[in-house]
Amino acid sequence: MKKVSFLMFAMIASLLLVMTGCGKDKEVSTTGKESKEEGSDGKTLRIVTDANYAPFEFLEGDKIVGFDVDFIKAVAKEAGYDVKLESVGWDPIFVEIESKRADVAISAITVNDERRQTYDFSVPYFLSTNKILVPEKSDIKSGNELKGKVIAVQTGTTGQEAVEKLIGKNHKDIKKFENNNLAIQELLQGGAAAVVADNTVVEEYVKNNPDQKLKVVEDSKSFNEEFYGLMFPKGSELKSEFDKAVNAIYENGKYAEIYKEWFGTDPDIETLKAQQ
Ligand code: ARG
């Protein structure tokens, strides 16, 4: 069911983007979209995301859906909280958390040392790596072959960082976009030769849009393993409560259930736990 509606969403979304000519950040702006969940008598947490990153978080009509959405609802419920989820965009997530206006962020956020200086993170809940999205007929076979090509990325992501490592910081061939869908549109319109983003996102995109004739290039030498975490304001007391709740849903089967619903396979919980 979810698979089908996600496919339909992806098809309609790409159609709309093509029809509107896209390219302008505002056209897919999701600011203000909210969904409030009732479930326990606990306090309601304000949780922020960038709902432009299917299958983790994306809009189905006005509703924010995705693996991350089901995951955070399950974790919050386990910890005894209600969730008010809001799509504020990628860069604003960091501002909202640093200023403590939001309690938690979930947005396929990779935990890394630089971010750890400013924010706290939960234990890891997903294993990811960057991969290269290119047209089917592209001859790009590795990260090194991105040199001399125009590459589209989402600003401020580990995708941007990985490309900068390969071709140089602030290199003019890197086109940066406010969200990842815009980077993909740039590729489709021929304004870029490749997009670098999280594997699950580009793989799902290719699977759901066979007519667009794209493929994914893997290069484990150029791109490291990354782990997603929930992000909290530095010093937040929620961190330990949510760490416990994540581990509880690893143990009680809820995580595996959600994972299977979205990805059709069993998760490797041992690998995630080994990172704690
Ligand atoms: N995992 C990458 C990072 O943390 C990309 C995440 C982008 N997420 C999003 N919802 N747009 O930098």
Side-chain angles (χ1 to χ4, degrees), residues 85-137:
L85 184 64
E86 199 178 322
S87 182
V88 296
W90 177 247
D91 282 342
I93 284 176
F94 296 87
V95 180
E96 294 292 304
I97 295 292
E98 196 177 352
S99 64
K100 300 190 165 63
R101 280 197 297 263
D103 302 295
V104 187
I106 182 160
S107 208
I109 305 172
T110 300
V111 184
N112 62 25
D113 288 344
E114 196 195 330
R115 290 175 183 166
R116 270 187 210 280
Q117 289 178 11
T118 317
Y119 313 96
D120 278 346
F121 289 91
S122 69
V123 291
Y125 71 88
F126 201 89
L127 170 63
S128 176
T129 186
N130 276 288
K131 286 190 183 175
I132 311 168
L133 178 68
V134 290
E136 234 163 55
K137 54 182 188 324

Side-chain angles (χ1 to χ4, degrees), residues 5 64 73 90 92 97 114 139 146 164 223 250:
S5 45
I64 307 168
K73 281 182 192 167
W90 177 247
I97 295 292
E114 196 195 330
D139 53 9
L146 293 174
E164 288 189 326
F223 307 114
Y250 284 163

Side-chain angles (χ1 to χ4, degrees), residues 49-53 56-57 68 90 93-94 106-112 115 128 130 154 156-159 161 178-180 197-198 226 228:
T49 190
D50 166 29
N52 289 293
Y53 217 56
F56 294 104
E57 43 267 328
D68 276 357
W90 177 247
I93 284 176
F94 296 87
I106 182 160
S107 208
I109 305 172
T110 300
V111 184
N112 62 25
R115 290 175 183 166
S128 176
N130 276 288
Q154 182 182 5
T157 57
T158 54
E161 198 185 309
E178 185 188 324
N179 73 58
N180 198 58
D198 292 352
E226 302 180 8
Y228 298 163

Side-chain angles (χ1 to χ4, degrees), residues 158-173:
T158 54
Q160 176 187 335
E161 198 185 309
V163 172
E164 288 189 326
K165 240 182 229 152
L166 290 165
I167 74 166
K169 212 169 163 58
N170 297 319
H171 196 288
K172 62 166 179 31
D173 287 346

